[in-house]
Amino acid sequence: MGRLFFTALINLGAYFVLRRLWPSLREGWRRQVFLGLAGLSLLAFALPLVLGFGEHGVLPVVGMPLKLFSSGWVIAVGLVMLLGWPLALLLRRRESAPASAAPVVQMTEGGAVLVAAPDVDMERRSLLVGAGRALPLLAAATSSAGLVAGSSGFVLRELDVRLRGLPPALDGFRIGQITDVHIGTFIDTQYLRATVEAMNQAWVDLQVMTGDLIDDLSQLDETMAALETCQARHGMLAILGNHEHWRGLPAVLEAYAASARRGSPVRLLVDEAHVLEHAGHRVRVVGVDYPIGPRRSVGAKAERMKRSAEVAFRGMSPDELVLCLSHHPDFFPLAVERGARLTLSGHTHGGQVALLGMPLFRFAFDYMLGRYRRGDGQLYVSGGTGHWLPFRIGVPAEVTIVTLRAEA
């Protein structure tokens, strides 16, 4: 129901903005076309609910095209609403302002000479009207481009992480990371299998899944089966994200437990560590829970993170290389304080939009996308392997291959 309500709200907001920017939309065929397309965008999410397919269900044949259309439409009208309301307010102010450009008559010896009223206001109004009418076209083009990019699969991103004092035997240790897959409406288990196979083909030593694995619990069994195709020497270590908590934590925990009972290579870490031995050296991988609780204040989140750090980092040995998995990248300073040399995170999706390599919404998180360094610790925030909305510009979905290197 959440998506349906959100879609209705965005459509309503955009309609009122467009009525101001494009007065001809108030009646006639333009109004009918807008209302028809808005209704179709609502139908894409209402029909599966009414027919018993569930919130994330997809109708046979027409279901996915409908939902892709709805997503593109919602993005477009959302852009119209966000960018159009300032234009609408400016137009309203100019229409309601008293006429300040009345004709001026100046008397001369030859008689009255009419001095033309300045037409600056009319020029500005025409500019605003033109911008308002062009906005829907710009929004539609942006939405289409982002929808195509968001539905184009993932890229394999390889990066070397240089760590001071890394033992020679661990130089070349490879980690494959997937995160924020969001199995559900737009991402299926075949896509997840492809990401695991990409890590298999890259011959990584360890695979990790750093949270927000699934939104549609009806696909949980197939999701776990896809993870279990991992062929890495040290298996796959997974942690929880906020969506596992929201969608049904008991079911997710039981699915991981059942996978472990089958002897699969997948292991879930919840405020705990797993120690593996590679080429005679111990590597401690710490996995922390997502800092969620009944209170959502900044202080409460910090308290939960601190508690996770105190529990998960117990029993460390000075001869171990410590790695940390945290869905929320804000855990990074705590991980560094406790000796983690590398932290892998997700959660932000990199904002899903970047211009010239800079995330458009970088103000939303302290650590939005890419690499960060703090003392001897480093953080990598993935742009995400999937999405819950298929819209990306400049931040492609990724499977990350990290290779540890000794810093000279």
Side-chain angles (χ1 to χ4, degrees), residues 68 71-72 75-76 79 139-155 157 177-183 186-187 191 195 211-212 215 327 345-356 358-361 368-370 380-400:
L68 285 173
S71 297
I75 293 165
L79 288 172
T142 303
S143 174
S144 299
L147 199 65
V148 169
S151 304
S152 298
F154 60 87
V155 300
R157 187 178 304 280
Q177 180 195 12
I178 57 174
T179 187
D180 300 275
V181 183
H182 293 286
I183 298 294
F186 300 105
I187 303 292
Y191 181 92
T195 67
D212 278 7
D215 288 332
H327 184 65
S345 295
H347 186 54
T348 68
H349 297 208
Q352 293 197 192
V353 179
L355 302 176
L356 300 177
M358 295 293 293
L360 189 61
F361 307 106
M368 173 61 82
L369 177 66
Y380 181 74
V381 183
S382 167
T385 308
H387 47 67
W388 50 265
L389 183 66
F391 180 82
R392 287 179 177 270
I393 294 178
V395 186
E398 67 177 78
V399 172
T400 314

Side-chain angles (χ1 to χ4, degrees), residues 243-369:
H243 280 243
E244 284 89 347
H245 283 273
W246 291 345
R247 302 303 181 188
L249 184 59
V252 172
L253 293 177
E254 173 53 32
Y256 274 111
S259 179
R261 289 193 294 269
R262 291 193 295 270
S264 84
V266 182
R267 174 170 178 168
L268 177 67
L269 301 178
V270 184
D271 287 344
E272 59 185 307
H274 174 72
V275 179
L276 58 93
E277 187 169 305
H278 184 87
H281 288 269
R282 289 162 58 91
V283 179
R284 177 178 291 266
V285 184
V286 177
V288 296
D289 196 3
Y290 185 84
I292 200 166
R295 293 187 300 134
R296 294 194 176 185
S297 67
V298 174
K301 184 186 80 171
E303 290 174 8
R304 288 190 290 271
M305 284 187 172
K306 186 177 180 180
R307 186 164 57 249
S308 288
E310 291 172 351
V311 173
F313 282 83
R314 288 174 180 168
M316 292 199 317
S317 173
D319 63 340
E320 297 171 337
L321 172 67
V322 181
L323 309 177
C324 179
L325 308 179
S326 170
H327 184 65
H328 203 306
D330 279 0
F331 189 82
F332 176 48
L334 289 172
V336 175
E337 287 177 7
R338 284 158 178 78
R341 303 298 306 280
L342 173 64
T343 300
L344 298 176
S345 295
H347 186 54
T348 68
H349 297 208
Q352 293 197 192
V353 179
L355 302 176
L356 300 177
M358 295 293 293
L360 189 61
F361 307 106
R362 60 185 180 277
F363 56 85
F365 292 92
D366 291 334
Y367 311 100
M368 173 61 82
L369 177 66

Side-chain angles (χ1 to χ4, degrees), residues 20-23 87 91 95 122-136:
R20 171 61 57 181
L21 297 179
W22 211 337
L87 291 174
L91 277 171
E95 290 173 355
M122 291 303 297
E123 288 180 359
R124 288 180 179 175
R125 186 181 185 283
S126 297
L127 184 62
L128 289 173
V129 170
R133 291 184 175 179
L135 182 58

